[in-house]
Amino acid sequence: MQEPAYIASYWRRLAREFRFFDSDYRFLNGYSFPPKSICFILTETCNLKCLMCDIGQKNGRKHDKDYSPLTESITRGEGLMSLADWKLLLDDIVGMHWHPLVLLTGTEPFLYPEILELVSYGISRNLNFHITTNGTLLSRYADQLVDLCKKPDSLTITISLDGIGEVHDTIRGVKGTFDRALEGLKALDGKKKKQAQPWPDVTINYTISDRNYKHMRGFIEWFYQNYSSVKGITFSHLWFKDETIVAKHNEHFGNLWPIELENTSAVDISAIDMDHIHEQLRMTGENNKRLPFYIAENPHLTDSDAQLYYASPTETVFYHKCLAPWRNVAVNPHGEVIISPLCFAGSLGNVKKNAFSRLWNATAFKQFRRQLKAVGMYPACSRCCMLFDSKPKYYKIAQLL
């Protein structure tokens, strides 16, 4: 809170997070206020082969015979969105008079050749962007991104790193990936120093898996010793559907919303030791006053919930109601509106055929919201980021400030 320019951005973030105490979810029978965030999945492609992601695993195969609901949700539809289509969608969002956060993620956003023009246009319409990237292409865009960021929340960036050096490269399936991401981080930092500008803020996301859960403290120490200008490091648990989740969900809801395995083909969730993870986080927490960046766990699990997360994936932890269809939405490269690539709900319309502002509270959306509210959450939701993001963010106040 040292920079006066940050004060307004904090208030805007707090207002976006708390959303009038979920009054639309509780009282409006499927109707929703405009979304808190909207994710633009700009391309179908990614340049890495990540072990914990079905998209990356598809890249690692020489053929496409294996079906994945995750990849299908991104490739569904006809004809790619043009830059003009994306800009028209931004105009429509602005017309909803809420200004949600625009997320550029889902695949690697910097593979989209016109990303800078799209971000520049959105910022000119007073929209704020958050880009999640693997960092491998970041160095070529660093100068322009800093130039575009006129205020603290115009643009924020998360770089996905799952270890130092070879640990990260092995998980991501492409040699040299860590070094290229670090080059991008350094390029951003160099441009910010040259302009005497502290933003855009950069955070790191570390996805926990059986390949890296023992290296968390070492990762923190490396950044403390070598690169302390990041805003924070978040350790994220895997989002997945394993055999137990699929069996339980399909037994009760397979006739309406059938699901299949997701994000489990190349990871061994049973090998992840939550005691070890929480011990590392506790040891870091005891000394975090010396750290120049925050440390977070997503979701932030109690010790008892931690024991259930990977050992009993069908058990509810952290939160018990999914509010994603009232809060978050994504648009795939073909204009199909989905809750998220992980959600089984399928397409709820197409923005090339109908304006998003009309689709948001059209019959399909309201019907799905009512069905979801009736059950609170489906078994398929139990290890989904959308469920965990639904929890009211009172516990995040300290981090936001």
Side-chain angles (χ1 to χ4, degrees), residues 267-287:
V267 294
D268 182 2
I269 63 173
S270 66
I272 300 173
D273 186 341
M274 288 296 285
D275 286 333
H276 190 81
I277 290 169
H278 270 207
E279 180 61 22
Q280 291 179 87
L281 291 173
R282 269 193 294 270
M283 293 172 70
T284 299
E286 291 168 0
N287 299 292

Side-chain angles (χ1 to χ4, degrees), residues 320-334:
H320 59 284
K321 294 186 295 186
C322 179
L323 275 67
W326 288 261
R327 300 290 169 266
N328 317 99
V329 70
V331 179
N332 85 356
H334 301 271

Side-chain angles (χ1 to χ4, degrees), residues 9 26 94 103 124 137 205 230 263 295 328 361 378 385:
S9 72
R26 291 189 289 167
V94 171
L103 309 174
S124 75
L137 304 173
N205 186 79
V230 298
N263 293 342
I295 301 296
N328 317 99
N361 279 305
Y378 292 94
C385 54

